[in-house]
Amino acid sequence: MNNKKEVLLKLFVSTLYLSAFTFGGGYVIVTLMKKKFVDEYHWIEENEMLDLVAIAQSSPGAIAVNGAIVVGYKLAGVAGALVAIVGTVIPPFLIISAVSVFYNVFRENYIIAQLLEGMQAGVGAVIAAVVFDMGEGVVKGKNAGSIIIMLGAFIASCIFGVNVVYIVIACLMIGVARTLINERGEKK
């Protein structure tokens, strides 16, 4: 990477841009962050990005902000995390402020309502792409344990309707257990 000021500037501009033009929630911005920071800038490896997304998703708060925090911290420490937070929070803050001021006008406008309905379909497609992209990374790793965990989480959520909080906690415990078992195996 280049000098820290240049990285911080690129990080701020990237998170600001991604946040300003990402509609549909945190999972949409995760895909764009991957394309920007993994594919374009080559600052982070793909497996590491998946780990950072897992951390962001399992932490309380908005995944877009959590994702920006972990990526910013990975790239430039505390300063990177702060810059990424500011870049990620400014656009939605301004947009939501404007929407709240003009809420009644937006709510009753036919064109705006149709625009939002069209955006919902696009957001669904982007979220499906995120799921495919992240799942593909797990399958490509060819780790049977990870594939079983992914399938188990999917079945628990989609078929049995288990609350996502319980699934995340269970996956966290499985991850801790796997790490402890692997560390014990390496020490022997």
Side-chain angles (χ1 to χ4, degrees):
M1 270 186 265
N2 306 333
N3 70 37
K4 192 168 183 174
K5 286 184 182 180
E6 188 176 319
V7 169
L8 290 173
L9 179 63
K10 273 187 167 180
L11 182 62
F12 176 76
V13 170
S14 297
T15 54
L16 184 76
Y17 170 79
L18 292 173
S19 184
F21 296 103
T22 303
F23 294 91
Y27 294 105
V28 176
I29 200 169
V30 166
T31 301
L32 298 176
M33 288 173 87
K34 180 213 172 271
K35 287 181 182 172
K36 179 66 80 177
F37 300 127
V38 174
D39 300 337
E40 186 178 328
Y41 289 157
H42 305 288
W43 283 350
I44 302 173
E45 296 295 321
E46 186 168 353
N47 286 341
E48 192 171 20
M49 184 69 189
L50 288 172
D51 291 342
L52 296 175
V53 169
I55 292 167
Q57 183 177 3
S58 60
S59 302
I63 190 169
V65 177
N66 292 347
I69 290 169
V70 294
V71 168
Y73 186 80
K74 161 72 175 112
L75 296 174
V78 174
L82 293 174
V83 164
I85 290 169
V86 172
T88 303
V89 170
I90 288 174
F93 175 76
L94 295 175
I95 292 167
I96 294 298
S97 295
V99 168
S100 67
V101 169
F102 299 106
Y103 175 73
N104 286 333
V105 174
F106 286 141
R107 184 180 62 158
E108 296 172 7
N109 186 306
Y110 176 77
I111 294 171
I112 299 289
Q114 294 304 305
L115 180 88
L116 292 173
E117 192 172 312
M119 287 172 63
Q120 287 176 354
V123 167
V126 172
I127 290 173
V130 170
V131 169
F132 179 78
D133 198 30
M134 291 178 73
E136 182 182 42
V138 170
V139 172
K140 276 185 179 178
K142 297 181 181 167
N143 181 317
S146 295
I147 293 171
I148 291 169
I149 293 168
M150 180 180 72
L151 291 174
F154 176 80
I155 291 168
S157 176
C158 293
I159 295 175
F160 296 112
V162 176
N163 188 315
V164 176
V165 172
Y166 299 126
I167 294 171
V168 169
I169 291 169
C171 289
L172 175 69
M173 292 188 312
I174 292 169
V176 168
R178 287 176 70 187
T179 301
L180 293 174
I181 291 168
N182 287 340
E183 284 179 359
R184 285 186 184 151
E186 289 175 5
K187 288 180 182 178
K188 289 182 180 181

